[in-house]
């Protein structure tokens, strides 16, 4: 089913579809508009429709394509040829007319495609084109029970629905509130039955649906294999179906255990930490540290204790969405809280309604880092954003410094911390200009906010002597007006006036400019705080571009 955590790809091929795409996006906040780069601007750009659709499909991303159903079918045909046999692992795929007049569910019946089609159709005020016979006849897809329930055997399910369609009556055994409104041919003593039970049993003529109402509570750690094995064994002992497992619950003290995380992943259930709430029947603690708890209703794992919080420090790249690495985009879609300097937080959107933005001033880095750990230790998924790469004059070092200062804080150290790299401004600017960083280079921040100016001067002198290409970050600001000119004076003592210089301003952002000059002509008035300054080495050279105005600048890989 579509929700904020499984963002759909809304695929558009031209500007004519944008309005409809936005209306669908408003229905599913967190979903992203994928636009054909040459024709339309979306949240994510792609260049070749077929390969892009197949990639989305392979990654199990729900696809809402605003184009002819035939185009979707042609694009996915080769992917489908390999997969049709296994209909259980298929994302929902829909075609929607670009003017919003038709909604056609194509694939992913078990992923709830008809439910999505109904939702989109309602948002667009049209009728969905539902073609699934079971669904039309009974008003619900029996093979797609709601969240909290799972069908035991899909193949068996399909046969069962065929029998029903042939006219056989059925009875419902157990608690299935979603079937109350279904138009089923019920009969008290029918041979066919839908049975809702957490217990494993196989009875011919029964469609088995398991409520996810079992929690495996851990009290002692062991290796990942043995956790998985022991949970399986305990479930078997109690005749419970493995699919009835809703979550693994462990004490807070086990939060940082990697084997536990791997075990929960292998069991394919959420891992929660804390104590078991009231309302469960416990099925006897075993001396191997596993206890099974049973709820009369499906368990929403988010009501059990807390999750292990995560803190992910990401780089957005220089600005445009296509220069953000997919892992950073993924972290953003999973985030509950997003922290950062306001400009960057805005750049990281669009956001879903449940996501909380914490925008702070650029200078409050340590405070922001500590706030991020506080939120993450409550079990939230926290993302701290930087522009470019988070490890280059940005938040990753501040976050690690905060953790280093709080190493005996058990809550903070239990947080799942990771850093996702990004395309740094020097790399983005270099790529636009050609390859000025093609040989040895260094990155220097000219900001003397956190380091003495004398250190900067020494480094500049050494880098100039070593004939390194230099990328200057933070070259000037209103509070630091003279520093760049002073830096250039130092360089001119070592480097010839003809040394090539690349200036990239707002690279990857609206109003991007790129220019090439030489060291003798460079003046601080050409540079501001949104500019990347790349000073070439003695071997950096250029030649005119033929595709457009300007030069290709590069530093050869060899040295004389
Ligand atoms: N972490 C960032 C750098 C932060 S320091 C990164 O890896 O890119 C901020 C400086 O980076 C700015 O003063 C400017 O020199 C440079 N910068 C950041 N984004 C830029 C962009 N889009 N175009 C040009 N320079 C940029």
């Amino acid at each position: 089913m579509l929700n904020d955590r499984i963002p759909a790809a809304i695929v558009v091929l031209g500007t004519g579809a944008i309005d409809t795409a936005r209306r669908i996006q408003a229905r599913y906040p967190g979903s992203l508009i994928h636009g054909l780069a040459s024709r339309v601007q979306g949240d994510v750009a792609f260049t070749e429709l077929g390969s892009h659709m197949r990639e989305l499909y392979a990654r199990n991303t729900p696809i809402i394509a605003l184009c002819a159903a035939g185009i979707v079918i042609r694009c996915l045909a080769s992917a489908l040829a390999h997969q049709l046999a296994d209909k259980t692992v298929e994302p929902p795929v829909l075609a929607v007319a670009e003017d919003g007049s038709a909604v056609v569910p194509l694939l992913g019946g078990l992923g709830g495609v008809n439910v999505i089609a109904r939702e989109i159709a309602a948002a667009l005020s049209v009728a969905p084109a539902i073609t699934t016979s079971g669904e039309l006849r009974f008003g619900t897809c029996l093979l797609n029970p709601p969240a909290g329930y799972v069908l035991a055997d899909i193949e068996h399910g399909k046969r069962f629905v065929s029998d029903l369609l042939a006219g056989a009556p059925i009875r419902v055994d157990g608690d299935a509130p979603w079937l109350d409104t279904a138009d089923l041919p019920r009969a008290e003593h029918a041979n066919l039955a839908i049975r809702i039970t957490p217990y494993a049993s196989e009875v011919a003529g029964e469609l088995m649906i398991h409520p996810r109402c079992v929690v495996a509570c851990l009290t002692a750690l062991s290796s990942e294999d043995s956790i998985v094995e022991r949970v399986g064994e305990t479930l078997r002992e109690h005749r419970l179906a493995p699919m009835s497992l809703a979550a693994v619950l462990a004490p807070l003290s086990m939060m940082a255990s990697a084997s536990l995380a791997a075990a929960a992943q292998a069991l394919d259930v959420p891992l929660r930490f804390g104590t078991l709430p009231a309302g469960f029947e416990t099925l006897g603690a075993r001396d191997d540290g596993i206890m099974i708890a049973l709820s009369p209703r499906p368990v929403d794992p988010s009501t059990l204790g807390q999750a292990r919080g995560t803190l992910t420090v990401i780089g957005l790249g220089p600005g445009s969405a296509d220069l953000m690495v997919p892992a950073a985009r993924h972290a953003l879609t999973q985030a509950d809280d997003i922290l950062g300097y306001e400009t960057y937080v805005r750049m990281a959107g669009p956001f879903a309604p449940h996501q909380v933005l914490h925008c702070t001033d650029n200078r409050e880095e340590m405070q922001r880092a500590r706030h991020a750990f506080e939120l993450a230790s409550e079990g939230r998924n926290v993302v701290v954003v930087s522009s470019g790469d988070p490890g280059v004059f940005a938040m990753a070092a501040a976050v690690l410094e905060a953790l280093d200062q709080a190493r005996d804080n058990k809550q903070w150290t239990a947080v799942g911390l990771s850093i996702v790299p990004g395309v740094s401004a020097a790399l983005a600017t270099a790529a636009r200009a050609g390859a000025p960083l093609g040989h040895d280079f260094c990155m220097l921040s000219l900001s003397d906010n956190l380091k003495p100016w004398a250190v900067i001067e020494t480094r500049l002198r050494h880098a100039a002597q070593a004939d390194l290409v230099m990328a200057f970050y933070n070259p000037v600001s209103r509070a630091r007006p003279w520093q760049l000119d002073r830096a250039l004076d130092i360089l001119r003592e070592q480097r010839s006036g003809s040394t090539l210089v690349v200036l990239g301003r707002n690279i990857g952002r609206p109003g991007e400019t790129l220019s090439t000059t030489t060291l003798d002509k460079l003046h601080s008035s050409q540079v501001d705080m949104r500019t990347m300054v790349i000073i070439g080495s003695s071997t950096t050279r250029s030649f005119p571009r033929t595709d457009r105005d300007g030069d290709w600048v590069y530093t050869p890989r060899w040295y004389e």
Side-chain angles (χ1 to χ4, degrees), residues 387-436:
S387 76
D389 179 87
V392 177
F393 311 121
M395 281 306 296
V399 164
L400 287 171
E401 191 179 335
L403 185 61
D404 194 12
Q405 287 167 359
R407 267 188 287 170
D408 43 8
N409 182 331
K410 289 213 167 56
Q411 273 94 42
W412 285 25
T413 48
V415 163
L417 174 64
S418 50
I419 322 281
V420 175
V423 176
S424 192
L427 306 183
T429 304
R432 293 285 202 253

Short mmCIF file of all heavy atoms in Angstrom, two decimals, residues 387-436:
data_model
loop_
_atom_site.label_atom_id
_atom_site.label_comp_id
_atom_site.label_asym_id
_atom_site.label_seq_id
_atom_site.Cartn_x
_atom_site.Cartn_y
_atom_site.Cartn_z
N SER A 387 25.02 21.30 2.46
CA SER A 387 25.12 21.37 1.01
C SER A 387 26.38 20.60 0.61
O SER A 387 27.23 20.29 1.45
CB SER A 387 25.22 22.82 0.55
OG SER A 387 26.51 23.31 0.80
N GLY A 388 26.49 20.28 -0.66
CA GLY A 388 27.68 19.60 -1.15
C GLY A 388 27.89 18.28 -0.44
O GLY A 388 27.00 17.44 -0.37
N ASP A 389 29.08 18.11 0.12
CA ASP A 389 29.40 16.91 0.89
C ASP A 389 29.37 17.29 2.37
O ASP A 389 29.88 18.35 2.75
CB ASP A 389 30.79 16.40 0.51
CG ASP A 389 31.15 15.18 1.31
OD1 ASP A 389 30.81 14.07 0.89
OD2 ASP A 389 31.75 15.33 2.41
N PRO A 390 28.78 16.42 3.22
CA PRO A 390 28.65 16.80 4.63
C PRO A 390 29.98 16.79 5.36
O PRO A 390 30.11 17.35 6.45
CB PRO A 390 27.70 15.75 5.20
CG PRO A 390 27.89 14.57 4.33
CD PRO A 390 28.17 15.10 2.96
N GLY A 391 30.98 16.13 4.78
CA GLY A 391 32.28 16.06 5.43
C GLY A 391 33.23 17.16 5.00
O GLY A 391 34.36 17.25 5.48
N VAL A 392 32.81 18.01 4.05
CA VAL A 392 33.69 19.08 3.57
C VAL A 392 33.18 20.41 4.14
O VAL A 392 32.16 20.92 3.70
CB VAL A 392 33.71 19.12 2.02
CG1 VAL A 392 34.55 20.28 1.52
CG2 VAL A 392 34.25 17.80 1.48
N PHE A 393 33.87 20.91 5.15
CA PHE A 393 33.51 22.18 5.81
C PHE A 393 32.02 22.21 6.13
O PHE A 393 31.32 23.17 5.79
CB PHE A 393 33.89 23.39 4.94
CG PHE A 393 35.31 23.31 4.43
CD1 PHE A 393 35.58 23.31 3.07
CD2 PHE A 393 36.37 23.21 5.32
CE1 PHE A 393 36.88 23.21 2.61
CE2 PHE A 393 37.68 23.12 4.86
CZ PHE A 393 37.94 23.12 3.50
N ALA A 394 31.53 21.15 6.78
CA ALA A 394 30.08 21.05 6.97
C ALA A 394 29.75 20.22 8.20
O ALA A 394 30.60 20.03 9.08
CB ALA A 394 29.45 20.48 5.71
N MET A 395 28.53 19.70 8.27
CA MET A 395 27.98 19.19 9.52
C MET A 395 28.55 17.86 10.03
O MET A 395 28.45 17.57 11.21
CB MET A 395 26.46 19.03 9.39
CG MET A 395 25.69 20.33 9.51
SD MET A 395 26.05 21.25 11.02
CE MET A 395 25.46 20.14 12.29
N ALA A 396 29.13 17.02 9.17
CA ALA A 396 29.53 15.69 9.64
C ALA A 396 30.56 15.80 10.77
O ALA A 396 30.48 15.09 11.78
CB ALA A 396 30.08 14.86 8.48
N ALA A 397 31.51 16.72 10.62
CA ALA A 397 32.53 16.85 11.66
C ALA A 397 31.92 17.39 12.95
O ALA A 397 32.31 16.98 14.05
CB ALA A 397 33.66 17.76 11.17
N ALA A 398 30.94 18.29 12.83
CA ALA A 398 30.29 18.83 14.04
C ALA A 398 29.53 17.73 14.77
O ALA A 398 29.56 17.63 16.00
CB ALA A 398 29.35 19.97 13.65
N VAL A 399 28.86 16.86 14.00
CA VAL A 399 28.11 15.77 14.60
C VAL A 399 29.06 14.80 15.32
O VAL A 399 28.80 14.37 16.45
CB VAL A 399 27.27 15.05 13.51
CG1 VAL A 399 26.79 13.69 13.98
CG2 VAL A 399 26.10 15.93 13.09
N LEU A 400 30.19 14.49 14.71
CA LEU A 400 31.14 13.58 15.35
C LEU A 400 31.79 14.24 16.58
O LEU A 400 32.03 13.58 17.59
CB LEU A 400 32.20 13.13 14.35
CG LEU A 400 31.64 12.13 13.34
CD1 LEU A 400 32.62 11.87 12.22
CD2 LEU A 400 31.26 10.82 14.03
N GLU A 401 32.02 15.53 16.49
CA GLU A 401 32.59 16.25 17.64
C GLU A 401 31.61 16.18 18.82
O GLU A 401 32.01 15.92 19.96
CB GLU A 401 32.84 17.70 17.23
CG GLU A 401 33.66 18.48 18.24
CD GLU A 401 33.89 19.92 17.76
OE1 GLU A 401 33.86 20.18 16.53
OE2 GLU A 401 34.08 20.80 18.62
N ALA A 402 30.33 16.37 18.54
CA ALA A 402 29.32 16.31 19.60
C ALA A 402 29.30 14.93 20.23
O ALA A 402 29.22 14.78 21.45
CB ALA A 402 27.94 16.67 19.03
N LEU A 403 29.41 13.88 19.40
CA LEU A 403 29.38 12.51 19.93
C LEU A 403 30.65 12.21 20.73
O LEU A 403 30.60 11.59 21.79
CB LEU A 403 29.24 11.52 18.75
CG LEU A 403 29.07 10.06 19.15
CD1 LEU A 403 27.82 9.87 20.00
CD2 LEU A 403 29.02 9.17 17.92
N ASP A 404 31.78 12.69 20.22
CA ASP A 404 33.06 12.49 20.88
C ASP A 404 33.02 13.09 22.29
O ASP A 404 33.56 12.53 23.24
CB ASP A 404 34.15 13.15 20.03
CG ASP A 404 35.54 12.72 20.43
OD1 ASP A 404 35.65 11.74 21.20
OD2 ASP A 404 36.51 13.35 19.99
N GLN A 405 32.35 14.24 22.42
CA GLN A 405 32.26 14.92 23.72
C GLN A 405 31.27 14.23 24.66
O GLN A 405 31.16 14.60 25.82
CB GLN A 405 31.81 16.37 23.52
CG GLN A 405 32.88 17.27 22.94
CD GLN A 405 32.31 18.60 22.46
OE1 GLN A 405 31.12 18.84 22.54
NE2 GLN A 405 33.18 19.45 21.94
N ALA A 406 30.50 13.29 24.12
CA ALA A 406 29.45 12.68 24.95
C ALA A 406 29.56 11.16 24.88
O ALA A 406 28.56 10.46 24.76
CB ALA A 406 28.08 13.14 24.45
N ARG A 407 30.81 10.67 24.93
CA ARG A 407 30.99 9.23 24.68
C ARG A 407 30.39 8.34 25.77
O ARG A 407 30.17 7.17 25.56
CB ARG A 407 32.45 8.91 24.46
CG ARG A 407 32.77 8.93 22.97
CD ARG A 407 34.14 8.45 22.71
NE ARG A 407 35.11 9.44 23.15
CZ ARG A 407 36.41 9.23 23.22
NH1 ARG A 407 36.89 8.05 22.91
NH2 ARG A 407 37.22 10.18 23.62
N ASP A 408 30.17 8.91 26.98
CA ASP A 408 29.55 8.06 28.01
C ASP A 408 28.04 8.21 28.04
O ASP A 408 27.37 7.67 28.91
CB ASP A 408 30.18 8.30 29.39
CG ASP A 408 30.38 9.77 29.65
OD1 ASP A 408 29.89 10.58 28.83
OD2 ASP A 408 31.01 10.12 30.68
N ASN A 409 27.47 8.93 27.07
CA ASN A 409 26.02 9.05 26.99
C ASN A 409 25.47 7.83 26.23
O ASN A 409 25.60 7.73 25.00
CB ASN A 409 25.67 10.36 26.27
CG ASN A 409 24.18 10.58 26.17
OD1 ASN A 409 23.40 9.63 26.13
ND2 ASN A 409 23.78 11.83 26.12
N LYS A 410 24.88 6.90 26.98
CA LYS A 410 24.46 5.62 26.38
C LYS A 410 23.37 5.81 25.33
O LYS A 410 23.30 5.07 24.36
CB LYS A 410 23.96 4.67 27.47
CG LYS A 410 25.06 4.16 28.34
CD LYS A 410 24.74 2.73 28.81
CE LYS A 410 25.95 2.07 29.44
NZ LYS A 410 26.51 2.84 30.58
N GLN A 411 22.50 6.80 25.56
CA GLN A 411 21.43 7.03 24.57
C GLN A 411 22.02 7.51 23.25
O GLN A 411 21.62 7.07 22.18
CB GLN A 411 20.45 8.10 25.07
CG GLN A 411 19.33 7.56 25.92
CD GLN A 411 19.69 7.65 27.39
OE1 GLN A 411 20.24 8.64 27.84
NE2 GLN A 411 19.39 6.60 28.12
N TRP A 412 22.97 8.41 23.34
CA TRP A 412 23.55 8.94 22.11
C TRP A 412 24.38 7.89 21.37
O TRP A 412 24.31 7.78 20.15
CB TRP A 412 24.44 10.16 22.41
CG TRP A 412 23.67 11.41 22.72
CD1 TRP A 412 22.40 11.50 23.22
CD2 TRP A 412 24.13 12.75 22.56
NE1 TRP A 412 22.05 12.81 23.38
CE2 TRP A 412 23.09 13.60 22.99
CE3 TRP A 412 25.33 13.32 22.11
CZ2 TRP A 412 23.22 14.99 22.97
CZ3 TRP A 412 25.46 14.70 22.10
CH2 TRP A 412 24.40 15.52 22.52
N THR A 413 25.16 7.12 22.14
CA THR A 413 26.03 6.16 21.47
C THR A 413 25.22 5.01 20.86
O THR A 413 25.70 4.32 19.97
CB THR A 413 27.12 5.58 22.41
OG1 THR A 413 26.46 5.18 23.62
CG2 THR A 413 28.18 6.61 22.73
N ALA A 414 23.97 4.82 21.33
CA ALA A 414 23.14 3.75 20.76
C ALA A 414 22.49 4.16 19.44
O ALA A 414 21.95 3.33 18.72
CB ALA A 414 22.06 3.35 21.77
N VAL A 415 22.54 5.44 19.11
CA VAL A 415 21.91 5.92 17.88
C VAL A 415 22.64 5.33 16.66
O VAL A 415 23.86 5.21 16.66
CB VAL A 415 21.97 7.48 17.84
CG1 VAL A 415 21.73 8.02 16.45
CG2 VAL A 415 20.99 8.06 18.84
N GLY A 416 21.90 4.96 15.64
CA GLY A 416 22.50 4.44 14.40
C GLY A 416 22.97 5.60 13.54
O GLY A 416 22.19 6.20 12.83
N LEU A 417 24.26 5.90 13.64
CA LEU A 417 24.80 7.09 12.96
C LEU A 417 25.40 6.71 11.61
O LEU A 417 26.15 5.75 11.51
CB LEU A 417 25.89 7.71 13.86
CG LEU A 417 26.69 8.88 13.28
CD1 LEU A 417 25.80 10.08 12.99
CD2 LEU A 417 27.82 9.26 14.22
N SER A 418 25.05 7.44 10.58
CA SER A 418 25.76 7.24 9.30
C SER A 418 25.89 8.55 8.55
O SER A 418 25.13 9.48 8.75
CB SER A 418 25.06 6.18 8.45
OG SER A 418 23.69 6.47 8.35
N ILE A 419 26.90 8.57 7.69
CA ILE A 419 27.19 9.76 6.91
C ILE A 419 27.04 9.39 5.43
O ILE A 419 27.59 8.39 4.99
CB ILE A 419 28.67 10.22 7.13
CG1 ILE A 419 29.12 10.05 8.58
CG2 ILE A 419 28.90 11.63 6.58
CD1 ILE A 419 28.69 11.07 9.57
N VAL A 420 26.27 10.15 4.71
CA VAL A 420 26.08 9.89 3.28
C VAL A 420 26.79 10.99 2.49
O VAL A 420 26.51 12.17 2.69
CB VAL A 420 24.57 9.89 2.91
CG1 VAL A 420 24.38 9.75 1.41
CG2 VAL A 420 23.84 8.78 3.65
N PRO A 421 27.73 10.61 1.62
CA PRO A 421 28.50 11.65 0.92
C PRO A 421 27.67 12.39 -0.11
O PRO A 421 26.59 11.95 -0.50
CB PRO A 421 29.62 10.85 0.24
CG PRO A 421 29.03 9.50 0.05
CD PRO A 421 28.09 9.26 1.21
N GLY A 422 28.20 13.50 -0.54
CA GLY A 422 27.53 14.30 -1.57
C GLY A 422 28.55 14.88 -2.52
O GLY A 422 29.76 14.79 -2.30
N VAL A 423 28.05 15.46 -3.60
CA VAL A 423 28.94 16.08 -4.58
C VAL A 423 29.33 17.46 -4.05
O VAL A 423 28.49 18.35 -3.95
CB VAL A 423 28.23 16.21 -5.95
CG1 VAL A 423 29.13 16.95 -6.94
CG2 VAL A 423 27.86 14.84 -6.47
N SER A 424 30.59 17.60 -3.69
CA SER A 424 31.06 18.85 -3.11
C SER A 424 31.16 19.94 -4.18
O SER A 424 31.33 19.64 -5.37
CB SER A 424 32.43 18.59 -2.47
OG SER A 424 32.78 19.69 -1.68
N ALA A 425 31.06 21.21 -3.73
CA ALA A 425 31.04 22.34 -4.68
C ALA A 425 32.27 22.33 -5.59
O ALA A 425 32.17 22.66 -6.77
CB ALA A 425 30.97 23.65 -3.90
N ALA A 426 33.43 21.93 -5.05
CA ALA A 426 34.64 21.92 -5.88
C ALA A 426 34.49 20.91 -7.02
O ALA A 426 34.88 21.17 -8.16
CB ALA A 426 35.85 21.56 -5.03
N LEU A 427 33.91 19.76 -6.71
CA LEU A 427 33.77 18.71 -7.73
C LEU A 427 32.72 19.12 -8.76
O LEU A 427 32.90 18.91 -9.97
CB LEU A 427 33.37 17.39 -7.07
CG LEU A 427 34.29 16.93 -5.94
CD1 LEU A 427 33.83 15.57 -5.41
CD2 LEU A 427 35.73 16.85 -6.40
N ALA A 428 31.63 19.72 -8.29
CA ALA A 428 30.57 20.13 -9.21
C ALA A 428 31.08 21.24 -10.13
O ALA A 428 30.84 21.22 -11.35
CB ALA A 428 29.36 20.61 -8.42
N THR A 429 31.82 22.19 -9.56
CA THR A 429 32.35 23.29 -10.37
C THR A 429 33.39 22.76 -11.36
O THR A 429 33.39 23.12 -12.55
CB THR A 429 33.01 24.35 -9.45
OG1 THR A 429 32.03 24.78 -8.51
CG2 THR A 429 33.51 25.53 -10.24
N ALA A 430 34.25 21.88 -10.87
CA ALA A 430 35.28 21.32 -11.74
C ALA A 430 34.66 20.61 -12.93
O ALA A 430 35.10 20.77 -14.07
CB ALA A 430 36.16 20.36 -10.94
N ALA A 431 33.59 19.85 -12.67
CA ALA A 431 32.95 19.09 -13.75
C ALA A 431 32.36 20.04 -14.80
O ALA A 431 32.41 19.76 -16.00
CB ALA A 431 31.87 18.19 -13.18
N ARG A 432 31.81 21.15 -14.35
CA ARG A 432 31.26 22.12 -15.32
C ARG A 432 32.37 22.69 -16.20
O ARG A 432 32.17 22.94 -17.38
CB ARG A 432 30.57 23.27 -14.60
CG ARG A 432 29.32 22.89 -13.85
CD ARG A 432 28.15 22.66 -14.81
NE ARG A 432 26.89 22.80 -14.10
CZ ARG A 432 26.08 21.80 -13.77
NH1 ARG A 432 26.40 20.56 -14.10
NH2 ARG A 432 24.95 22.03 -13.13
N ALA A 433 33.54 22.92 -15.57
CA ALA A 433 34.64 23.58 -16.29
C ALA A 433 35.44 22.59 -17.13
O ALA A 433 36.15 22.99 -18.05
CB ALA A 433 35.55 24.29 -15.31
N GLY A 434 35.38 21.32 -16.82
CA GLY A 434 36.19 20.31 -17.50
C GLY A 434 36.79 19.40 -16.44
O GLY A 434 36.07 18.65 -15.80
N ALA A 435 38.11 19.51 -16.25
CA ALA A 435 38.76 18.67 -15.24
C ALA A 435 39.94 19.41 -14.59
O ALA A 435 41.05 18.91 -14.56
CB ALA A 435 39.23 17.36 -15.88
N PRO A 436 39.67 20.59 -14.01
CA PRO A 436 40.79 21.31 -13.38
C PRO A 436 41.38 20.58 -12.18
O PRO A 436 42.51 20.85 -11.79
CB PRO A 436 40.16 22.66 -12.96
CG PRO A 436 38.69 22.40 -12.89
CD PRO A 436 38.41 21.35 -13.92
#
